[in-house]
Amino acid sequence: MPTPRNARSKAGRLVTFALALEQLLNGVQLGFMLFLMAAGLTLVFGVMGLINLAHGSLYMVGAFACAAVAAATGSFWLGLAASLAFAAGAGALMEITVIRRLYNRDHLEQVLATYALILIFSEGTRWLFGSFPLYLDIPPLLQGAVSLPGGAQYPLYRLAIIITGALVAGGLYLLISRTRLGMRIRAGESDREMIAALGVDIRTLYTLVFALGAALAGLAGAMVGAIQSVQVGMGEPVLIFAFVVIIIGGIGSIKGAFVGALTVGVVDTMGRFLLPQILTLFVSPADAKPMGAAIASMLIYLVMAFILAVKPRGLFPAQA
């Protein structure tokens, strides 16, 4: 017959397992959100050779479009569709009016020009919506939670983000590997002069790729907007993570972006969960928490440095 002490120990292990599983799923959810950001970023750099610091602004555009349309219509789903349309439209407009003039410039000029676009988007959004954050309600269909092994409850909406990210990843794989547009994108990564000589409208291809990347960023912003506030400047912190993802995965590689995003999401989330607990074995709990948080914030950069030391072009470079 189990003693009360053994029963408490077993219950404690179940609680710890359930909490660890919940944090692991949070890491996967963060990873899929980063994949939506990084996939467009790596496509743009791989096909066009462009460093686009304004990619985070398109994430913000998607979030604000979703929040504004959802508030006006009462439908989150219409807001989600609007996020795709507005982000893709903003991306296409950006490519035609500004980015198209930067392809033959050096990377420093690209960085300066796209940084200026960040300021324009931020101040324009502040002028339209004000400085106060907006909030999105989770749609009734995705409210509630599902039960995890160990008895923990996991939000259904976060699970929906994971499923959406997986579906988008599968769709991108099919688009890149099985369609004529994907063939042109892959050819553009390898030899853009040759496909232009073969009669492919390279300007239209660039605009389509840029709009696709922008739509994915807008979708990420809209979905995250329902679990965080929608505010000016929300895209810049995520952009830093997205650059880490494509450096780890390999620039220009969708497969690399997928693996890199999941790596960054899980390492960052589990590091913030586990490191303070591990450090309590060596220091007091009061000191372990801030020390663990500080080390966890550096963890993904340490992982990036290690991977680059072993594979300088990333895990899955596009032109290995």
Side-chain angles (χ1 to χ4, degrees):
M1 182 176 178
T3 64
R5 181 177 180 179
N6 288 339
R8 285 196 300 271
S9 177
K10 182 178 180 181
R13 286 195 298 270
L14 283 174
V15 170
T16 302
F17 170 76
L19 186 57
L21 181 59
E22 181 180 359
Q23 293 304 314
L24 178 62
L25 286 173
N26 283 340
V28 173
Q29 178 251 303
L30 174 60
F32 275 116
M33 186 272 294
L34 290 174
F35 171 72
L36 294 176
M37 277 286 290
L41 197 61
T42 199
L43 272 178
V44 166
F45 190 89
V47 176
M48 306 174 188
L50 177 83
I51 299 176
N52 180 23
L53 294 187
H55 198 70
S57 297
L58 299 169
Y59 172 92
M60 179 185 68
V61 166
F64 270 97
C66 185
V69 172
T73 64
S75 171
F76 174 83
W77 306 109
L78 287 177
L80 199 62
S83 72
L84 289 166
F86 275 85
L93 183 63
M94 184 194 303
E95 195 277 336
I96 292 169
T97 57
V98 178
I99 301 299
R100 188 170 288 181
R101 293 161 174 77
L102 301 175
Y103 294 135
N104 297 321
R105 305 291 185 91
D106 61 38
H107 289 324
L108 177 59
E109 291 182 70
Q110 293 173 357
V111 166
L112 291 174
T114 53
Y115 179 73
L117 287 173
I118 293 176
L119 302 179
I120 292 169
F121 272 102
S122 294
E123 293 308 312
T125 304
R126 184 176 285 111
W127 177 70
L128 285 173
F129 296 99
S131 299
F132 295 102
L134 305 180
Y135 296 93
L136 269 168
D137 292 328
I138 295 174
L141 181 64
L142 298 178
Q143 291 177 0
V146 295
S147 297
L148 299 177
Q153 299 288 307
Y154 193 72
L156 184 59
Y157 184 76
R158 287 181 179 269
L159 194 61
I161 293 178
I162 294 174
I163 294 171
T164 301
L167 291 174
V168 170
L172 270 180
Y173 170 76
L174 293 176
L175 174 69
I176 299 298
S177 63
R178 303 293 176 86
T179 67
R180 183 176 295 274
L181 175 61
M183 179 182 68
R184 291 177 176 177
I185 291 172
R186 285 183 281 116
E189 289 179 334
S190 302
D191 194 336
R192 69 189 71 176
E193 289 81 11
M194 178 60 72
I195 65 167
L198 291 174
V200 174
D201 187 346
I202 197 73
R203 287 194 168 193
T204 302
L205 177 65
Y206 281 6
T207 303
L208 287 174
V209 170
F210 205 92
L212 174 62
L216 293 176
L219 175 63
M223 297 199 72
V224 172
I227 53 179
Q228 299 176 359
S229 60
V230 176
Q231 55 189 328
V232 175
M234 63 183 291
E236 279 65 63
V238 182
L239 181 67
I240 295 172
F241 271 30
F243 273 116
V244 173
V245 164
I246 65 173
I247 290 170
I248 288 175
I251 293 173
S253 169
I254 293 296
K255 180 180 179 181
F258 181 78
V259 174
L262 289 180
T263 300
V264 169
V266 171
V267 167
D268 183 70
T269 304
M270 295 305 291
R272 295 177 190 278
F273 171 63
L274 292 175
L275 279 174
Q277 300 182 48
I278 294 172
L279 289 175
T280 57
L281 300 174
F282 308 99
V283 298
S284 68
D287 294 330
K289 189 172 182 179
M291 287 176 61
I295 297 173
S297 66
M298 299 185 292
L299 200 54
I300 59 169
Y301 304 104
L302 296 175
V303 171
M304 179 180 71
F306 173 77
I307 289 174
L308 290 180
V310 177
K311 300 195 71 173
R313 298 181 64 192
L315 296 174
F316 304 100
Q319 301 173 17

